[in-house]
Amino acid sequence: ENSYQFNLIEKKWQKIWEEQHAFQIGEDSNLPKYYALEMFPYPSGNLHMGHVRNYAIGDVIARFKKMNGYNVLHPMGWDSFGLPAENAAIKHGAHPAKWTAANIENMREQLKTLGLSYDWDRELTTSQPDYYKFTQWMFLKLYENGLAYKKNAAVNWCPSCQTVLANEQVVDGACERCEATVEKKKLSQWFFKITDYAQRLLDDLEMLPGWPEKVKTMQRNWIGRSEGCQFDLTIEGHDETMTVFTTRPDTIYGVTFMVLSPEHPLVEQLAAGTEQEAAVKEFVHRMQFVSDVTRTSAETEKEGVFTGAYAINPMNDEKIPVWIANYVLMDYGTGAIMAVPAHDQRDFEFARKYDIPIRVVIQGEDTPADADQLTQASTGPGIMVNSGNYNGLSNEEGHRQIVSYLTSQGIGEATINYRLRDWLISRQRYWGAPIPVIYCDDCGTVPIPEKDLPVLLPEDIAFRPSGESPLTYVKSFYETTCPVCGKKAQRETDTMDTFVCSSWYFTRYLDPHNTELPFEKKPADYWMSVDQYIGGVEHAILHLMYARFFTKFLYDIKMLSVQEPFMNLLTQGMVLKDGSKMSKSKGNIVSPEEIIKTYGADTARLFILFASPPERDLEWSDQGVEGCYRFLNRVWRIVTEYGDLIREVNIPPSFAELEPAARKLHYKTHATIKKVSEDIEERFNFNTAISAVMELCNALYAYRDQEEKDLGVLKEAVDTLLLLLCPFTPHIAEELWQRCGHQESVYSQAWPRFDPEALVQDEIEIAVQILGKVRERIKVPSSCTKEDLEKAALSNPKIQELTKDKQIVKVIVVPGKLVNIVVK
Ligand code: ANZ
Ligand code: ZN
């Protein structure tokens, strides 16, 4: 009957933790703080293995930091607005609020069966009024600061989801969610002006050495800063000029056509009365329905039409035909380009298709002098040719000189462009935070006064996919009075993109019950920034960029004292089965619930942490799970076997004279502490940390053969095993800790420190000097490194005593001989 009954043990401890609010935390200025955060889940209904991995990693870090003396905040919540709830409503007739609440109930229970150290008193749910009140508050603040505006825009439209999509939600021309081809539609929409923050979002990536380089690169590319210049060209027979943006002014002598975006305001005028008028109109009309993403994709064939007009090259007065084409967009740069087919691939494809001349003006190493021999655009650096007075210059020098020439002529200037667009936040959907705005015939657009928040979602709602928000059919919702003049007015019926909810949630955990403000400055100053954020790499751009934008905005309005939300970021790998990602469509899902039922949460956690380092993909393996289960059984047996022997024993303060077998176990204990601590702290290498713990367990088995056991050493080894297991497998660690006679929880214990002397194998004696005088002799392994030697000297009790009121200015280490400590 002394078997490892994980189900009883796990339930027992989960109940105790719950009753004791074991992980509840507040500010404490006496302790260093640590904010550990995992990306909160969308409550889809059930936890999947990806969640388990994400939260198990976070839990190890949170528990490890707690045991290392930090005041650890480790919260959890629900990103609960969004499309699936509404689609479920359409499909099954379940109200989104009910569907969401039931899913949360279920998933919360599932999370609790994993034994995660969350402060549940801080739980938040973004679809509840007490939360979305402040999502609306954020909107009002952005509006007040000129960072929320409405404009008529051609937007990405998913015909199947019947909603607008942000650029970020369009993948290869298709809806990220349902994969329908995205169309374009003109609608009046709300935007957040994230572009005002483009440069800061770019520059401050430098403040984040704790982020994976690949994520920072993705953000840099998304912001897409390019330096170039803008200049005007006259158009033959017209008063208007056209302005182009180019990153390659050095290629200006190679311009053989110009391109306007089909939406460019000059197009109609230029074509009017020419032979080209009909063709231009037809093309402009056709482009209305093609999304920007499709139009600019490298795979899309370049196409366009001549407008009938000619522009004049300001360098040499050459007459250049003006075209319109699919690949030039209105909302980048100036919506007009100078086309240089020899040196730009898009222009090259276009020119070859329409038989437009191609002229080489930058002679690179492999550039054929004869343009006919080009098989693709030559985009590299080189020497300027066919470029008038500029011939012979390097293209970089030519770039500078041509910009200064255009500037001196008063027709151009150096400019910077960003690829980043303003963030379109309007959604024609019900299950989101209503945009807190009213339209009044007399007063125009009126923001809802702060005191009237939240604008509540009406409960009584009919779902009919119509392309309009379901709220447009709820009279009791949209009919209202103007807060300024009191006349009848209409509410905005669109709701906000759910990415708005997740752009600030990490600040709400700091003050989750505040009814007046999203959070007070004081707790925010204590807790922010998040010390370690953990989540999927799929959020590398969207969520992480928006959260950084909000944090900078909150800093600007003095709500926060930090400019970056997440100091360190860990992007965990995927959970694979049979080599591919676990997914419903592949039918290769392993359900966490099943695994927990069969083996227990500790085994599930251990396997996931042991099978692979956190950032790598993890291949599911039934044998691997079995192996972890067997290991925990081994731990159970050996610890319960030794339990009676060591219950009443005290660990002695020093282990001077030990028999070889005891000395070996003592060594192993401390070597394991060192290895596990370093693996967790420095690299999050949980897998190798766990192997080390497994070896310690083996050492405990080996010590069984010893007839005369050193009980002090034995107790130290058993205690250490349990302490080291606590972050990984907290239930079994607590249970065995208690069975070994300890009163307090293992989680409340200090993380063990290794004793360098215990690690001494082949010992030599080292003199420790203070200001050149020998004060102590310590024993260290002959292979002791410089750092370890310094550590050993400084942690020696006598030396600590002698230096305790002094300032250590320098430590000189002569390996194999001495350590000299310089104090003042
Ligand atoms: C002439 C040229 C010659 C260009 C050359 C490039 C290479 P990035 O780096 O992405 O900023 N461009 C400018 N506005 C555009 C628009 N609205 N739609 C499509 N293309 C546009 O790209 C800047 C370059 O993209 C600009 O420099 C322009 O082409 C084109 F050898 O001008 B370039
Ligand atoms: Zn009014």
Side-chain angles (χ1 to χ4, degrees), residues 19-205:
E19 282 168 3
Q20 297 182 345
H21 297 260
F23 309 110
Q24 194 174 1
I25 203 82
E27 293 94 76
D28 180 347
S29 50
N30 296 318
L31 292 176
K33 68 92 186 179
Y34 194 89
Y35 186 0
L37 184 65
E38 297 113 51
M39 291 180 182
F40 65 163
Y42 178 78
S44 54
N46 279 294
L47 284 192
H48 55 66
M49 275 306 168
H51 291 128
V52 177
R53 187 172 195 198
N54 190 180
Y55 310 145
I57 293 168
D59 204 45
V60 174
I61 296 172
R63 286 174 180 270
F64 176 76
K65 288 291 172 183
K66 162 70 171 63
M67 294 177 78
N68 275 275
Y70 288 86
N71 193 36
V72 176
L73 174 59
H74 189 211
M76 184 37 78
W78 309 98
D79 189 13
S80 49
F81 268 142
L83 269 180
E86 209 159 332
N87 291 340
I90 295 167
K91 229 174 159 179
H92 312 297
H95 192 282
K98 287 225 176 79
W99 185 84
T100 304
N103 287 352
I104 289 176
E105 275 305 303
N106 191 42
M107 287 173 76
R108 190 193 296 111
E109 284 320 301
Q110 293 178 334
L111 280 183
K112 287 190 175 169
T113 63
L114 279 167
L116 303 161
S117 61
Y118 294 131
D119 180 354
W120 283 107
D121 300 288
R122 291 174 188 258
E123 179 182 5
L124 60 81
T125 305
T126 61
S127 58
Q128 278 173 3
D130 63 347
Y131 184 89
Y132 72 69
K133 168 177 178 177
F134 295 111
T135 303
Q136 293 171 336
W137 185 97
M138 295 286 164
F139 178 96
L140 293 181
K141 290 295 155 195
L142 286 160
Y143 184 80
E144 249 174 69
N145 286 277
L147 293 167
Y149 66 93
K150 197 174 193 190
K151 79 170 177 201
N152 224 321
V155 296
N156 302 310
W157 177 258
C158 174
S160 136
C161 296
Q162 293 273 317
T163 189
V164 163
L165 301 173
N167 283 344
E168 293 87 338
Q169 291 164 325
V170 183
V171 179
D172 297 330
C175 172
E176 170 192 61
R177 225 172 244 295
C178 74
E179 295 180 3
T181 302
V182 172
E183 297 173 357
K184 210 161 81 176
K185 194 168 170 177
K186 272 226 157 115
L187 279 175
S188 185
Q189 305 278 298
W190 282 95
F191 289 83
F192 287 162
K193 221 170 173 183
I194 190 173
T195 52
D196 271 15
Y197 285 74
Q199 191 61 47
R200 283 165 71 187
L201 288 167
L202 186 64
D203 290 343
D204 291 354
L205 288 171

Side-chain angles (χ1 to χ4, degrees), residues 440 443 482 485:
C440 167
C443 312
C482 171
C485 70

Side-chain angles (χ1 to χ4, degrees), residues 226 246-248 251 327-329 332 337-338 343-344 346:
S226 39
T246 177
T247 48
R248 296 291 305 274
T251 64
Y327 69 97
V328 175
L329 301 179
Y332 187 71
I337 68 160
M338 63 178 221
H343 303 293
D344 180 284
R346 298 159 295 183

Side-chain angles (χ1 to χ4, degrees), residues 224-229 231 244-252 255 259-261 295-296 325-347 361-362 377-380 417-419 421:
R225 182 183 199 270
S226 39
E227 281 179 35
C229 83
F231 67 95
V244 298
F245 168 68
T246 177
T247 48
R248 296 291 305 274
D250 51 310
T251 64
I252 194 165
V255 176
V259 186
L260 297 176
S261 152
R295 267 171 53 179
T296 51
N326 56 348
Y327 69 97
V328 175
L329 301 179
M330 195 54 222
D331 74 346
Y332 187 71
T334 59
I337 68 160
M338 63 178 221
V340 186
H343 303 293
D344 180 284
Q345 186 58 24
R346 298 159 295 183
D347 301 342
V361 291
I362 306 293
S378 160
T379 56
N417 257 286
Y418 300 91
R419 207 174 78 90
R421 297 282 77 129

Side-chain angles (χ1 to χ4, degrees), residues 393-655:
L393 294 180
S394 74
N395 74 298
E396 291 90 355
E397 182 55 25
H399 180 126
R400 276 187 289 278
Q401 291 197 15
I402 287 168
V403 174
S404 66
Y405 172 76
L406 293 169
T407 311
S408 72
Q409 297 298 298
I411 55 171
E413 59 181 347
T415 48
I416 292 162
N417 257 286
Y418 300 91
R419 207 174 78 90
L420 185 71
R421 297 282 77 129
D422 279 341
W423 175 11
L424 196 174
I425 58 129
S426 299
R427 295 292 179 274
Q428 291 66 48
R429 282 289 176 172
Y430 165 73
W431 196 234
I435 295 174
V437 159
I438 281 167
Y439 304 106
C440 167
D441 284 343
D442 293 343
C443 312
T445 301
V446 181
I448 306 267
E450 224 175 287
K451 65 170 176 42
D452 294 343
L453 294 184
V455 178
L456 286 174
L457 276 176
E459 268 171 41
D460 197 7
I461 190 92
F463 297 98
R464 39 185 145 170
S466 67
E468 281 179 303
S469 164
L471 295 175
T472 48
Y473 304 105
V474 186
K475 228 177 170 187
S476 60
F477 176 78
Y478 67 74
E479 274 193 358
T480 184
T481 50
C482 171
V484 177
C485 70
K487 287 203 197 108
K488 272 207 159 149
Q490 294 241 340
R491 274 186 205 285
E492 168 68 61
T493 53
D494 283 351
T495 55
M496 283 187 248
D497 179 3
T498 58
F499 275 111
V500 180
C501 313
S502 55
S503 293
W504 71 278
Y505 80 108
F506 44 91
T507 61
R508 181 64 178 171
Y509 285 131
L510 315 180
D511 196 3
H513 308 296
N514 197 325
T515 54
E516 300 303 311
L517 283 172
F519 56 89
E520 279 297 342
K521 185 117 192 310
K522 198 168 158 256
D525 278 350
Y526 179 77
W527 290 114
M528 283 297 279
S529 309
V530 172
D531 293 280
Q532 183 65 56
Y533 198 32
I534 306 146
V537 74
E538 67 274 17
H539 293 296
I541 297 174
L542 291 187
H543 163 58
L544 291 172
M545 187 82 80
Y546 295 150
R548 295 182 63 222
F549 162 51
F550 262 62
T551 302
K552 290 180 194 305
F553 169 67
L554 290 168
Y555 170 86
D556 290 348
I557 62 168
K558 309 213 156 35
M559 291 283 291
L560 287 177
S561 306
V562 299
Q563 298 215 45
E564 284 292 334
F566 315 122
M567 287 325 288
N568 296 288
L569 173 70
L570 191 161
T571 50
Q572 96 252 7
M574 288 188 296
V575 182
L576 311 177
K577 172 124 190 266
D578 311 326
S580 56
K581 187 178 173 174
M582 280 190 190
S583 74
K584 265 197 197 128
S585 57
K586 294 215 179 68
N588 61 350
I589 293 199
V590 179
S591 117
E593 232 170 350
E594 280 303 307
I595 295 293
I596 293 169
K597 227 183 256 158
T598 321
Y599 298 100
D602 282 340
T603 293
R605 294 170 56 127
L606 192 68
F607 166 71
I608 277 207
L609 296 162
F610 180 53
S612 171
E615 304 209 86
R616 299 263 194 84
D617 288 349
L618 176 161
E619 176 76 37
W620 189 265
S621 142
D622 295 334
Q623 293 94 311
V625 178
E626 282 280 351
C628 287
Y629 182 62
R630 272 199 309 274
F631 166 67
L632 290 182
N633 274 286
R634 266 169 74 74
V635 169
W636 181 266
R637 281 196 306 273
I638 194 75
V639 175
T640 48
E641 182 182 313
Y642 284 141
D644 289 335
L645 266 179
I646 58 173
R647 191 163 296 121
E648 309 297 333
V649 171
N650 288 321
I651 299 176
S654 87
F655 291 92

Side-chain angles (χ1 to χ4, degrees), residues 12-14 16-18 20-24 63 66-68 115 117 719 722-727 729-752:
K12 166 181 162 185
W13 286 99
Q14 285 159 14
I16 293 174
W17 294 333
E18 175 128 26
Q20 297 182 345
H21 297 260
F23 309 110
Q24 194 174 1
R63 286 174 180 270
K66 162 70 171 63
M67 294 177 78
N68 275 275
S117 61
D719 279 5
L722 299 176
L723 289 164
L724 299 183
L725 274 176
C726 175
T729 56
H731 308 90
I732 191 174
E734 287 292 4
E735 179 66 21
L736 290 174
W737 186 256
Q738 194 180 56
R739 288 184 184 223
C740 286
H742 297 286
Q743 301 301 319
E744 275 155 14
S745 143
V746 65
Y747 172 74
S748 68
Q749 304 301 304
W751 188 254

